[in-house]
Amino acid sequence: MSKADIGLIGLGVMGANLALNIAEKGHTIAVNNRSTAKIDAFVEAAQAEGLAERVLPEADLVAFVQSVKKPRSIIIMVKAGKPVDDMIEQLLPLLDEGDAILECGNSLFSDTQRRFDYLKPKGIGYLGVGVSGGAEGARHGPSIMVGGSKAQWHDAEPVLTSIAAKFKGEPCVAWLGEGGAGHFVKTIHNGIEYGDMQMIAEVYGVMRDGLGMDAAACAEVFKRWNEGPLNSYLIEITGHVLEAIDGESGTPLVDMILDRAGQKGTGVWSAIAAQQLGVPATAIEGAVAARSISSRKQERIAAEALYGKRQGKVDITIDDLEQALLAGKIVSYTQGFSVIASASEEQGWGLKLATIARIWRAGCIIRSRFLDQMASAFAGDAATNLLMVPAFATLMKEASPALRRVVSSGALGELPLICLSSSLAYFDSYRQARGTANLIQGQRDFFGSHGFEIEGRGADLHGDWPSLVEQAAE
Ligand code: NDP
């Protein structure tokens, strides 16, 4: 075979599927992996799919790099963190000016920015590429969020465009901005995914514990919802998960799965980024907190023994739950996009919210009908807060009363709705022209002389608190 169009290192779950996708789209690909067993297994898989003639397996890194056409595009799909830095160091002496490394794992965006800055003066392009859609997406069409060196993006663009998911024929891939922009957007995508999943789980909890519905009945509801405004991949798979029956016991599988959720870090990174930027992201924070509480199973068992079982009755309808989920989702996406807009401003990335919504419409875990509406809304409006975009303001006005009914009924029924209730609280805080931070400012000045502002009198004013207290006591 002549030289390969592109190279890929790391034939784990994601790397192997991406490589098969690339070969299937007609590109030749050189592949390499630390352990040779994975190279052999990959070659077998490529043979089974009739793609072996486009695959160039190379266990030796030097031979691998030399087998890729110049300017080289080399994908790294290894474990995030130190393995990425180690791989960059191994590749560096083997690459030529103008070549590019495309790192496609779930890397922390600040690591990507650091690597981009490190490689730029050496003439090596660095692209931090967020890939969403799991193994299935990698194999048949993921959503691809590219950040980093623009020149080298153009070299890799034909391959990435051909393998990306398509929404009505439009590829779900875009170069979003320099440095860590792609991985930042992927991180917030995952944060939004956490919020979506948690709100779905909360609604399921209301159906199960508040309305006494079994898994099959819940599955029916989610299937129906998937035909309406909530239509999305996560609603669809929720229906499938709820209807699955365990072959051994004959009972719903979901009832047997332990109620302890795992997390790998992107949700926490999203929440930290939001906090550092000073952007409220209560839905993401709530979702991360809910997973942490879920992992403390023994503590929860002890607490239930102490406080007693929840009474769990609610007075709401399935339609209320659908509308509540829609309203919660609007708030969660509002927050996620606000975090992105703020980071873009701080980093000078020039991120386009409409483009991001567009490339999330297919291939990724949060793909939904809703994102198509969002792409149009951001395209036609300068607002970065979705709640202020007219089309979404109309939706929110219609759906928020149901969110209020669900949250209040859930609270009285002792059902935990961390994400839904924090979304409602955000909405109510955001829409109040007169808040309560006047009191906070008074307190801050009282104990720390931090100052406050009075319209018409100026900023950085102080109260003479000892005499004000004395005066009030008289
Ligand atoms: P796997 O665990 O399936 O594969 C990990 C790969 O990394 C293997 O090829 C492994 O090689 C290689 N590797 C690990 N450590 C080193 C090292 N020190 N030096 C060289 N190679 C190393 O992982 P995934 O494919 O699931 O994930 C890869 C990346 O993609 C991660 O960043 C992950 O977060 C991200 N991701 C995963 C998704 C998923 O759904 N799984 C979705 C989106 C992104 P070896 O065979 O030698 O061990």
Side-chain angles (χ1 to χ4, degrees):
M1 193 197 285
S2 53
K3 296 210 176 212
D5 297 324
I6 194 162
L8 182 144
I9 302 172
L11 291 166
V13 175
M14 291 298 285
N17 280 296
L18 264 190
L20 288 174
N21 189 355
I22 291 170
E24 187 186 60
K25 299 301 177 310
H27 311 286
T28 49
I29 180 162
V31 293
N32 172 275
N33 193 74
R34 179 180 59 176
S35 64
T36 51
K38 279 212 178 74
I39 301 183
D40 298 341
F42 177 76
V43 170
E44 256 179 56
Q47 268 159 358
E49 299 211 27
L51 299 170
E53 64 180 25
R54 298 202 199 109
V55 171
L56 197 55
E58 277 295 355
D60 175 62
L61 199 63
V62 178
F64 162 80
V65 171
Q66 284 170 357
S67 70
V68 181
K69 268 181 214 159
K70 288 191 202 175
R72 302 180 182 95
S73 297
I74 305 225
I75 294 175
I76 309 186
M77 200 36 147
V78 301
K79 218 168 149 231
K82 192 171 178 302
V84 173
D85 287 311
D86 292 347
M87 193 47 71
I88 290 171
E89 289 308 322
Q90 286 180 59
L91 282 173
L92 206 45
L94 309 177
L95 297 176
D96 295 305
E97 208 168 317
D99 289 350
I101 295 173
L102 286 71
E103 200 268 296
C104 294
N106 273 339
S107 286
L108 182 60
F109 77 98
S110 49
D111 283 346
T112 303
Q113 185 71 48
R114 167 177 58 75
R115 292 165 185 151
F116 171 85
D117 292 338
Y118 171 62
L119 291 173
K120 196 174 178 180
K122 301 183 191 321
I124 305 296
Y126 193 73
L127 292 153
V129 183
V131 177
S132 176
E136 190 65 17
R139 177 64 186 88
H140 298 292
S143 167
I144 306 176
M145 295 145 253
V146 186
S149 325
K150 197 166 186 183
Q152 280 88 353
W153 148 245
H154 289 305
D155 296 332
E157 191 177 354
V159 173
L160 296 186
T161 302
S162 71
I163 64 164
K166 308 287 178 304
F167 181 86
K168 295 183 180 163
E170 256 186 76
C172 292
V173 54
W175 178 86
L176 300 169
E178 293 254 307
H183 276 142
F184 185 83
V185 171
K186 170 72 197 312
T187 297
I188 303 303
H189 163 285
N190 285 22
I192 293 173
E193 176 187 309
Y194 269 56
D196 270 355
M197 292 170 73
Q198 176 59 26
M199 286 190 281
I200 290 172
E202 289 175 6
V203 164
Y204 153 70
V206 174
M207 288 184 206
R208 186 190 66 185
D209 302 334
L211 299 174
M213 292 164 62
D214 63 16
C218 296
E220 283 312 309
V221 171
F222 280 100
K223 285 178 159 189
R224 202 172 66 240
W225 285 355
N226 199 38
E227 306 299 316
L230 286 172
N231 169 270
S232 59
Y233 172 72
L234 282 171
I235 293 286
E236 182 192 336
I237 66 162
T238 301
H240 294 317
V241 172
L242 285 164
E243 71 184 347
I245 301 293
D246 170 51
E248 215 176 300
S249 62
T251 55
L253 182 61
V254 72
D255 290 339
M256 305 185 62
I257 299 175
L258 207 59
D259 57 339
R260 263 198 315 226
Q263 48 183 325
K264 284 194 174 162
T266 45
V268 173
W269 293 347
S270 300
I272 291 172
Q275 292 281 358
Q276 283 174 338
L277 289 160
V279 180
T282 56
I284 297 173
E285 289 160 9
V288 172
R291 287 202 193 184
S292 303
I293 294 176
S294 84
S295 70
R296 295 163 183 252
K297 178 82 174 167
Q298 292 311 318
E299 286 179 52
R300 287 189 286 116
I301 291 171
E304 182 171 294
L306 176 63
Y307 289 100
K309 276 197 183 303
R310 296 167 296 145
Q311 59 97 351
K313 286 279 167 286
V314 289
D315 181 21
I316 41 170
T317 64
I318 295 293
D319 287 349
D320 276 342
L321 287 176
E322 183 182 23
Q323 290 296 302
L325 199 45
L326 193 63
K329 229 176 126 109
I330 292 172
V331 171
S332 169
Y333 282 66
T334 294
Q335 296 177 342
F337 276 105
S338 298
V339 175
I340 290 173
S342 177
S344 174
E345 205 178 313
E346 192 184 274
Q347 303 277 344
W349 284 329
L351 297 175
K352 306 251 182 319
L353 301 186
T355 304
I356 294 167
R358 268 204 300 277
I359 64 171
W360 285 352
R361 289 178 303 177
C364 65
I365 303 296
I366 62 170
R367 62 186 181 259
S368 65
R369 179 180 295 178
F370 189 65
L371 273 161
D372 192 28
Q373 288 167 271
M374 230 173 277
S376 315
F378 280 134
D381 204 285
T384 53
N385 188 305
L386 206 57
L387 289 174
M388 300 308 286
V389 177
F392 280 85
T394 304
L395 280 176
M396 196 61 190
K397 281 180 189 170
E398 281 166 13
S400 59
L403 177 60
R404 198 171 302 289
R405 282 193 293 278
V406 168
V407 168
S408 55
S409 191
L412 291 172
E414 300 169 308
L415 297 174
L417 302 171
I418 292 187
C419 254
L420 288 171
S421 59
S422 65
S423 293
L424 180 65
Y426 169 89
F427 174 59
D428 284 338
S429 303
Y430 188 73
R431 60 185 282 233
Q432 61 173 356
R434 182 168 190 233
T436 55
N438 47 334
L439 181 59
I440 307 264
Q441 288 300 83
Q443 292 164 331
R444 291 180 71 234
D445 191 59
F446 192 105
F447 64 69
S449 220
H450 293 297
F452 51 75
E453 187 177 355
I454 294 179
E455 258 182 66
R457 287 205 215 158
D460 204 20
L461 305 172
H462 296 278
D464 178 3
W465 295 107
S467 64
L468 286 167
V469 169
E470 218 169 279
Q471 205 180 308
E474 280 166 12

